[in-house]
Amino acid sequence: MENVWEGERMRVLNEQEQLFISRVLEQKKILYSIAYSYLRSEAEALEVVQETTYRAWVKRGSLKDTDRFAPWLTRILINCCKDELKRRKRLASPGPVPVSGGLQEMTSDRKLDMEQALNGVKPKYRQVLVLKYYRDMTLTEIAEVLGKPEGTVKTWLNKGLKQLRDKMRIRGGL
């Protein structure tokens, strides 16, 4: 009888694993793009996506509403990115940080100006800008991912856009 229960438990576990894997794979491009926008490094973005997947698997039992899997996973990713940025700051040397390893995409001066200006925006405003314009999330979705009221997200978006415009003006980009 015990073998029957163990076989059933393994079947259910395999179904859960497959469902989890398929849901993460649906989100992988979005997760990578968000991680890259935070870290500006292909290797580190891939590593953070892997760490996010691991943390999500370990904490999968804490997800109460399975329909909210994508925002839950995105919140874990953002926390992983923040952890990595803190680690970088602790280990920072006075030299410049390389933009990315491996192959680099050709970018226009305007795109580089925008990325540099975005790096100059306060982190809490930058994360709202990244989720809104890189991920195309609605304000309601952003509020859910960040665990903040929608009004706060709107305020942060407006302040972030103002800071971004100011940075672009200073650089001569506007």
Side-chain angles (χ1 to χ4, degrees), residues 6-7 11 15 21 32 59-60 67 71 79 89 102 115 117 123 131 133 139 143 149 154 162 164 172:
E6 184 63 24
R11 186 186 62 75
E15 289 173 6
I21 290 168
Y32 173 78
K59 298 290 185 179
R60 69 190 182 279
D67 293 337
N79 289 335
K89 194 177 260 188
E115 287 181 0
L131 293 174
Y133 297 109
L139 294 176
K154 287 179 185 178
K162 183 181 182 321
L164 190 60

Side-chain angles (χ1 to χ4, degrees), residues 121-153:
V121 173
K122 285 186 179 179
K124 66 182 179 182
Y125 302 152
R126 183 174 56 235
Q127 70 184 2
V128 172
L129 292 170
V130 165
L131 293 174
K132 175 74 175 152
Y133 297 109
Y134 282 69
R135 170 88 193 269
D136 294 327
M137 292 176 76
T138 66
L139 294 176
T140 305
E141 292 170 332
I142 295 170
E144 185 177 341
V145 165
L146 298 178
K148 301 289 181 190
E150 194 170 335
T152 301
V153 170

Side-chain angles (χ1 to χ4, degrees), residues 148-161:
K148 301 289 181 190
E150 194 170 335
T152 301
V153 170
K154 287 179 185 178
T155 301
W156 288 2
L157 179 63
N158 288 330
K159 288 183 177 183
L161 287 171

Side-chain angles (χ1 to χ4, degrees), residues 18-34:
Q18 292 302 319
L19 179 62
F20 180 85
I21 290 168
S22 68
R23 294 182 90 181
V24 168
L25 288 175
E26 289 171 3
Q27 300 291 319
K28 72 179 182 179
K29 287 183 181 179
I30 294 166
L31 294 172
Y32 173 78
S33 67
I34 292 171

